[in-house]
Every structure is written in C-alpha cells, then in structure tokens.
Amino acid sequence: MAKVALVQGEEVKKPKVSLGTKMKKEWNRNKYVYALAIPLIAYYAIFHYGPMYGIVMAFQDYSIVDGISGSPFIGLDNFIKFFESHYFWRLIRNTLALSIQNILWGFPAPLILALLLNEVKHKKFKKAIQTITYLPHFISLVVVCGMLNQFLARDGFITSLLSSLGLVEQTNLLAIKEYFRTIYVASGIWQEIGWGTIIYLAALSGVDEQLYEAAAIDGANRFKRLIHVTLPSIAPTIIMLFILRVGQVMSVGFEKVILLYNPQTYETADVLSTYIYRYGLGGSFDYGYTTAIGLFSSLINFILVILANQFSKKVSETSLW
C-alpha cells in the first residue's frame, strides 16, 4: 500500500520508486560490500552452477565424440539401468550404513568434547587438549589412510595391540569386510572431532553467564546446568548442523573409501561415489549412466534436507529457512 502525505488537507500519493532506482541506491550505499562478494559469486556461478548443464547427460546416451548437443536423448533409461543393476541394493545399503553410523557416532562426538572442554577451567590444559585434537584435521587424507594401512596391517601396531588383548586375530584388518565400517567411522572421528568443536565452542561462549548463576542459586549442580541451561542455549546450532549432516547422507566421500577398500571388502565398503568413479573412469566410461547415479544421489540428499528442515521447524521452531 503506497504511503500518503497530507498537503493542504488533501491526501497525495507519493510517486512510486522504480526497482532500478532502488537497486542503484542500494549499490551506492553498499557498493564496497557487494564488490567483496563478486569473487565468491563468480566462483559459485562458474564452478557450481555452470557445470549443472552437464545434468543433461543423465538423460542421454552420451558420447564424447558427439558431446552433449549431439548425443541422442534416451529419457530415463540410465536410471532404469541403475535401478535394475545387480549392485543397486548393495550400493544403497553400504552408503546408508556408513552415513548413518557417521551420524550416530561422529555427529555427537564433537559436541560431547566441546561440552567437556567448556567445563575445564584450567586454560593451559584446555588449550593443550584443543591443539592435540585439532592437529589430525590438518593431516592429508592420503597420509591418514597410509597410516591406517600401516597400523592395521598384519604386523601393524593397532593389529598387534588388539591381538594381544584377544579382540582380533593377527591379520590384515583392512582385508576383513566386517571391520571396514568401524575403521572408517572411528578414523573419521579421530581426524575431525577437534575441528568440529570449533562451532560448538563458539556457541557456548555466547551463553549468558547469568543463566548459570540463576540455576546455581536454585540448587542445580553442574550436570543439571548442562541439561537445563547449556544444551537448550546451543540447541539451534546443534539442529542446523544436524540438518546439514542429514543432507549429506547419500554423499559418502569416495577419496577415503578408495584409499582404504579393496576387492575383499567391496561387499561392505563399495558406495555410490566409489562405484561412479570406478565405473565412469576406470571401467566402461559410460558418463551418461554415472551422471544419472550422481543425480539420483543428489535428489535424495535434497529431499532429505527439505524433510529434516520441515520436521525441525514443526518440532523446535528452528530451521535453516
């Protein structure tokens, strides 16, 4: 509704300002801020949104010679081929199993460590623990997987230790399919637990100290203050990070799996991303087929993010949008 002004007892409508004028004024007011955003926008436009044109390959019998414009359109044949594939259920099962175990064990681990560090009053000890837990994040994934291959070999340090305790046999643990998921999740927690505490510690630093004082006056011990003050205060941060994690359920990174798995562990280790890599670049070079698999995975992730966000909005009134 247009604003009005009284001029000599009469209502006179103010002239509407065009969108172009508003944009020009906004640019002049914040042009330096927008200038700083240009490289970021260009990066996403070139490397994220631009390549989305390649999704067309999922609906084509793609040929490198003919290209996207010349390859014949085959509709949903690539998707049907994947759904009817012998590997379909194995890939879905392994991908979901690794992702769900990562969420069950890997998601709460940084939160628990952050809560413990928040209770530590000795600053030097707290900084030492933070530094030690941060360091594995900066180790190259190739180096980490090389360490795991050495430590979990038949005569490796971890294998020898577990064998002396009677927990496992003296053998190459990475060659046993039943152990792969445990190794994958445990090594991921070790590498990322410290780095994941950064966001939680930042959120904890914003909790009002007066809330703790009021709870202490009411007779709440440290555990009750944790349950009734700390966790509710950082609940929005926890929920948002959880929604983002749910959106990656079908996107288990292939780098670590490829560096750790072998034909003996394919039954439990082979996931969608490794199958795409192996089939698309190391097998038949059927790019249309592998693009369809990647698109299917992305669609599932997108749907899960929407559902998780809507569920969170109804239950806790906290959501990403």
Side-chain angles (χ1 to χ4, degrees):
M1 186 174 181
K3 293 182 178 179
V4 297
L6 291 175
V7 180
Q8 295 180 352
E10 296 181 358
E11 290 186 352
V12 179
K13 291 184 178 181
K14 286 186 177 181
K16 292 183 178 180
V17 181
S18 64
L19 179 61
T21 304
K22 290 181 179 179
M23 293 179 64
K24 186 176 180 180
K25 288 182 178 179
E26 178 65 20
W27 170 259
N28 291 332
R29 189 182 300 113
N30 300 302
K31 57 184 176 182
Y32 296 111
V33 177
Y34 288 120
L36 288 173
I38 288 175
L40 181 64
I41 295 172
Y43 167 78
Y44 277 95
I46 296 171
F47 297 105
H48 289 266
Y49 288 97
M52 288 179 69
Y53 173 66
I55 290 175
V56 177
M57 295 164 55
F59 306 95
Q60 294 179 323
D61 183 11
Y62 179 77
S63 169
I64 296 179
V65 177
D66 298 329
I68 294 178
S69 59
S71 298
F73 181 80
I74 59 174
L76 300 176
D77 287 0
N78 285 324
F79 294 92
I80 296 172
K81 177 182 176 182
F82 175 58
F83 297 151
E84 295 178 347
S85 169
H86 172 70
Y87 300 104
F88 175 75
W89 288 113
R90 188 183 78 176
L91 295 171
I92 298 297
R93 182 184 69 247
N94 292 343
T95 303
L96 290 176
L98 276 179
S99 294
I100 292 173
Q101 288 186 31
N102 260 327
I103 292 175
L104 289 177
W105 302 104
F107 181 77
L111 173 61
I112 294 171
L113 179 60
L115 293 173
L116 293 174
L117 289 173
N118 190 56
E119 296 296 323
V120 175
K121 303 304 179 184
H122 196 286
K123 292 185 177 180
K124 290 185 177 180
F125 178 74
K126 182 177 180 179
K127 289 182 179 179
I129 295 298
Q130 286 180 280
T131 302
I132 293 171
T133 55
Y134 286 171
L135 286 177
H137 173 80
F138 298 99
I139 303 176
S140 169
L141 188 59
V142 176
V143 175
V144 170
C145 293
M147 293 168 58
L148 290 173
N149 276 287
Q150 292 293 325
F151 293 157
L152 297 171
R154 183 181 181 85
D155 56 349
F157 169 73
I158 295 178
T159 303
S160 299
L161 177 62
L162 295 177
S163 178
S164 64
L165 296 174
L167 299 177
V168 298
E169 297 180 359
Q170 191 76 25
T171 184
N172 181 10
L173 299 183
L174 283 173
I176 302 176
K177 61 183 181 181
E178 290 81 8
Y179 294 159
F180 181 85
R181 292 170 185 165
T182 302
I183 294 170
Y184 181 93
V185 173
S187 60
I189 293 174
W190 168 76
Q191 190 174 15
E192 299 297 336
I193 187 173
W195 188 256
T197 61
I198 293 176
I199 295 178
Y200 293 119
L201 288 173
L204 288 167
S205 66
V207 180
D208 191 351
E209 290 293 334
Q210 293 181 357
L211 297 175
Y212 291 114
E213 294 173 2
I217 292 173
D218 289 338
N221 57 28
R222 297 180 71 174
F223 180 75
K224 289 184 177 179
R225 292 199 293 269
L226 171 66
I227 298 298
H228 298 291
V229 177
T230 305
L231 289 178
S233 298
I234 64 173
T237 301
I238 298 172
I239 291 170
M240 286 189 289
L241 292 175
F242 181 76
I243 293 172
L244 293 174
R245 178 64 73 91
V246 170
Q248 300 174 352
V249 164
M250 300 296 288
S251 301
V252 178
F254 75 95
E255 300 95 339
K256 186 176 180 179
V257 178
I258 280 182
L259 292 170
L260 291 179
Y261 81 162
N262 55 69
Q264 292 174 289
T265 58
Y266 277 175
E267 187 176 341
T268 57
D270 199 19
V271 294
L272 286 170
S273 55
T274 56
Y275 180 74
I276 291 172
Y277 175 81
R278 193 173 65 253
Y279 195 91
L281 297 178
S284 63
F285 299 96
D286 191 345
Y287 298 117
Y289 176 61
T290 52
T291 301
I293 300 174
L295 180 58
F296 167 76
S297 174
S298 298
L299 286 174
I300 297 298
N301 284 334
F302 178 73
I303 293 171
L304 289 174
V305 167
I306 298 295
L307 294 176
N309 189 74
Q310 293 300 317
F311 179 78
S312 175
K313 185 183 295 185
K314 291 182 178 180
V315 174
S316 65
E317 298 182 357
T318 300
S319 61
L320 291 176
W321 64 86

